Amino acid sequence: MQEKSKIWLSSPHMGGTEQDFVNQAFETNWVAPLGPNVNGFEEDLQKYIGEEKKVACLVSGTAALHLGLIQLGVGYGDEVLCQSFTFSASANPILYQGATPVFIDSEASTWNICPIALEEAIKDRIQKGKKPKAIIAVHLYGMPYLVDEVHEIANTYKIPILEDAAEALGSTYKGRNCGTFGTFAALSFNGNKIITTSGGGSLVCPDKKTKEKTVFLATQARDDAPHYQHSHVGYNYRMSNIVAGIGRGQMQILNKHVDLRRKMHAFYTDAFQNITGVEVLSAPTEDFYANHWLSSITVDPNQTKGLTREDLRIAFLEENIESRPLWKPMHLQPIFEKYPYYGKQVCEQLFKNGLCLPSGSNLTDNDRNRILSVIYRFFKKQ
Ligand SMILES: *Cc1c(COP(=O)(O)O)cnc(C)c1O
C-alpha cells in the first residue's frame, strides 16, 4: 500500500513572486545584509502594520527580542516579567542580557498573560526590592492577549512592554495590528510562521531614531569613522537581501494566507462542535481578530470518557498527520525552573490537555478529509 503523504502542522507556502525578488538580488549583485529588498520588505511591513512604526529587518525573531530588551535598558541583574506559556525564544534573550526572568501564568480566554497574576507579580517584586524592567507579552497562536488590561497595568506601574508578535502578523485587537502595541515588538518569519523567509524576523520600533539604533546594533555597532571604530557591543543580526526578497513576495499573499488559516480554524470549530470535552481556542469577543496561525484545542478527559490529547495525537500520527502538544510552560523547563513564577495553574493545565492541529494555508480538501476521518473515528469511542 502506498504510504500516505505527511500532513504538516504548518509548512512554508510560497505565493509565486518570491523568486523574482531573489533573482533581482542576484542580477543586481545585492547579495549582502543590505539592499533594495531589505528596504522594500521593511516598507511593506510598515505599510501593513501602520506607518507610524519603523521596522528593522533582522536574522530572526529571537534577535529582534534581544535587541528590544537591550533598548529597553535591560541589563545584568534586572528582572523581566515574561509570559510562561510561550516558546523558549521569548525568554532566552532575558538570559542573554544576564537578567532574571519572572514568569507569569496565562488566563483562560486567550491563553496569554494573565493581568491579575501580572499585577500580583509586579507588586511582589517591588515589595521584594526590585521593580521589573520590562514585560514580555505574547500573542500565542496568533490570538491577541488582553491588550487593554495588560497595558493598563503596565502604564500604572510605568513598565514598558516588549510585544512578542512572532506568531501574530495579521492579527488585530480592536482593529489595530498586533505588533503595534508594545514599546517594541518582535515579528518572526521562520519556516513555520504565517509568512516565511526561510528564517528571519524584525523589530518594530517606535520611531526613526530607535530603528537606526537597532540597525546600528545589528550591524556590529560601527561608529562613524573611515576605519573600524567601536564604542558599543555589536551584533551580526541584520537580514540578508536574499532572504528579504522572499519576504517581499510573501507580503503579497499575507492576507490571503490569514484568510486560509482562519478557514482552517472554522473547519475545526465545525468538526468539534458536537464533541463534548473538546474546546477550540477562539476569539473571546469581536475585539479579537486572530490570524489563527495554529488552530489549537484542549481535550478534557473527564468529559471524553478518558480519551486524552495524547491518544488523539497518536491517532493522528498513525495516519501520518502531525499534531503537537501546546507549548510547555517556561517555568517547567529545566533551564528556567529555578526562576520565580506567579500563577494559578492555568498554563500547566493547558499544557496537559492541549494540542495544536494542522493549520497551514496550503492544506487541501483531501487533507481535511483525512483529518476529519481521524477525528470522527477517534471520538466514536466516546
Ligand atoms: C517563532 C517564535 C519566536 C522566535 O522567532 P525566530 O524567528 O524563530 O527566532 C519567538 N517567540 C515566539 C512566540 C515564537 O513563536
Side-chain angles (χ1 to χ4, degrees), residues 60-63 65 86-87 89-90 138 140 164 166-167 188-190 193 200-201 293 327:
S60 67
T62 312
L65 290 162
T86 186
F87 179 42
S90 307
V138 191
L140 219 55
D164 184 343
E167 301 177 1
S188 168
F189 318 114
N190 204 349
K193 297 287 156 75
W293 169 59
W327 298 119

Side-chain angles (χ1 to χ4, degrees), residues 114-157:
C114 170
I116 297 164
L118 175 66
E119 184 160 31
E120 184 200 329
I122 294 172
K123 284 183 179 158
D124 193 53
R125 301 322 290 177
I126 291 173
Q127 208 196 1
K128 288 190 161 75
K130 207 172 246 178
K131 183 175 151 182
K133 210 59 188 268
I135 298 166
I136 299 176
V138 191
H139 308 288
L140 219 55
Y141 305 118
M143 180 60 71
Y145 57 77
L146 296 177
V147 172
D148 284 349
E149 291 83 346
V150 170
H151 284 258
E152 193 185 317
I153 291 166
N155 291 341
T156 302
Y157 294 91

Side-chain angles (χ1 to χ4, degrees), residues 184-209:
F184 288 92
L187 302 173
S188 168
F189 318 114
N190 204 349
N192 58 355
K193 297 287 156 75
I194 191 140
I195 64 167
T196 179
T197 59
S198 71
S202 53
L203 187 65
V204 182
C205 303
D207 51 32
K208 191 161 167 276
K209 206 167 130 230

